[in-house]
């Protein structure tokens, strides 16, 4: 099973593709989609959409896991991030891909075992699970891989609860 994890943003969208074979997790490709500040938001959203679409077409994930937003104090930033998140979800939906959404608390719980884990703890666990030589940068990339790992760990249980494949 190939999972695409997404850490949404308008300036930086972290992405990470991982393969799950039994209990083994293998990184396939990871990085970020970046848009320039002071560019019209419609242009930035189109760039995110087109880049996410191209990545999905190239790496052909079986499912997409996206981090849910928690309300930010800066409402303008929250709206921008929500719109970027929406265009990524649209790209996945157009390809008929199942979409899972996880809160930051759920990601931390699945990856570290503690919902209030520090960012550094999550990054270290991602590095360990995926046998990486270093923590991916920027942080958005490590966060996206954490979302993918969360989904890889959660999908078996979710499928069992829903009567789907094991």
């Amino acid at each position: 099973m190939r999972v695409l994890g997404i850490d949404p943003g308008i300036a930086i969208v972290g992405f990470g593709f991982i393969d799950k074979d039994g209990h083994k997790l293998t990184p396939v490709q990871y990085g970020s989609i970046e848009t320039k500040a002071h560019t019209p938001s419609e242009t930035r959203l189109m760039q995110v959409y087109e880049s996410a679409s191209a990545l999905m077409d190239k790496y052909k994930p079986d499912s997409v896991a996206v981090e849910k937003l928690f309300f930010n104090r800066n409402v303008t930033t929250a709206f921008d991030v929500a719109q970027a998140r929406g265009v990524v979800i649209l790209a996945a939906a157009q390809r008929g891909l199942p979409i899972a959404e996880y809160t930051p608390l759920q990601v931390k719980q699945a990856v570290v075992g503690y919902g209030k884990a520090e960012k550094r703890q999550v990054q270290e666990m991602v590095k360990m699970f995926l046998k990486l030589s270093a923590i991916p940068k920027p942080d958005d990339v490590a966060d996206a891989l954490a979302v993918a790992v969360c989904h890889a760990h959660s999908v078996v249980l979710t499928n069992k609860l829903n009567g789907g494949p094991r």
Side-chain angles (χ1 to χ4, degrees):
M1 172 181 75
R2 179 163 291 172
V3 176
L4 167 57
I6 295 287
D7 178 41
I10 190 67
I12 302 174
V13 176
F15 69 85
F17 290 88
I18 65 170
D19 283 346
K20 178 180 178 5
D21 185 12
H23 293 291
K24 184 179 179 189
L25 301 178
T26 307
V28 175
Q29 182 63 280
Y30 51 90
S32 61
I33 300 166
E34 298 185 24
T35 65
K36 293 188 186 304
H38 310 297
T39 301
S41 59
E42 63 272 16
T43 302
R44 294 175 96 177
L45 291 170
M46 185 174 62
Q47 291 168 345
V48 169
Y49 171 79
E50 289 175 349
S51 296
S53 294
L55 286 165
M56 289 178 207
D57 291 343
K58 181 174 182 177
Y59 294 102
K60 306 206 179 309
D62 297 304
S63 59
V64 178
V66 183
E67 187 173 74
K68 282 185 181 179
L69 299 178
F70 57 95
F71 190 75
N72 192 324
R73 280 182 230 188
N74 184 336
V75 177
T76 303
T77 301
F79 284 141
D80 288 343
V81 172
Q83 289 176 326
R85 185 177 176 278
V87 299
V88 172
I89 290 172
L90 172 63
Q94 287 178 323
R95 286 155 180 75
L97 297 171
I99 301 159
E101 300 176 66
Y102 298 96
T103 65
L105 181 86
Q106 290 171 310
V107 173
K108 291 174 182 180
Q109 184 71 41
V111 175
V112 180
Y114 176 60
K116 293 185 179 178
E118 297 291 326
K119 185 177 274 293
R120 182 72 182 182
Q121 291 173 293
V122 175
Q123 293 171 341
E124 287 292 342
M125 291 302 291
V126 165
K127 178 182 164 193
M128 185 191 76
F129 279 129
L130 299 177
K131 297 176 178 53
L132 301 173
S133 59
I135 293 170
K137 296 289 179 197
D139 289 350
D140 311 79
V141 178
D143 292 347
L145 286 167
V147 174
V149 168
C150 172
H151 184 66
H153 287 164
S154 303
V155 73
V156 174
L157 177 60
T158 302
N159 284 341
K160 284 181 182 179
L161 291 172
N162 295 333
R166 295 172 184 13

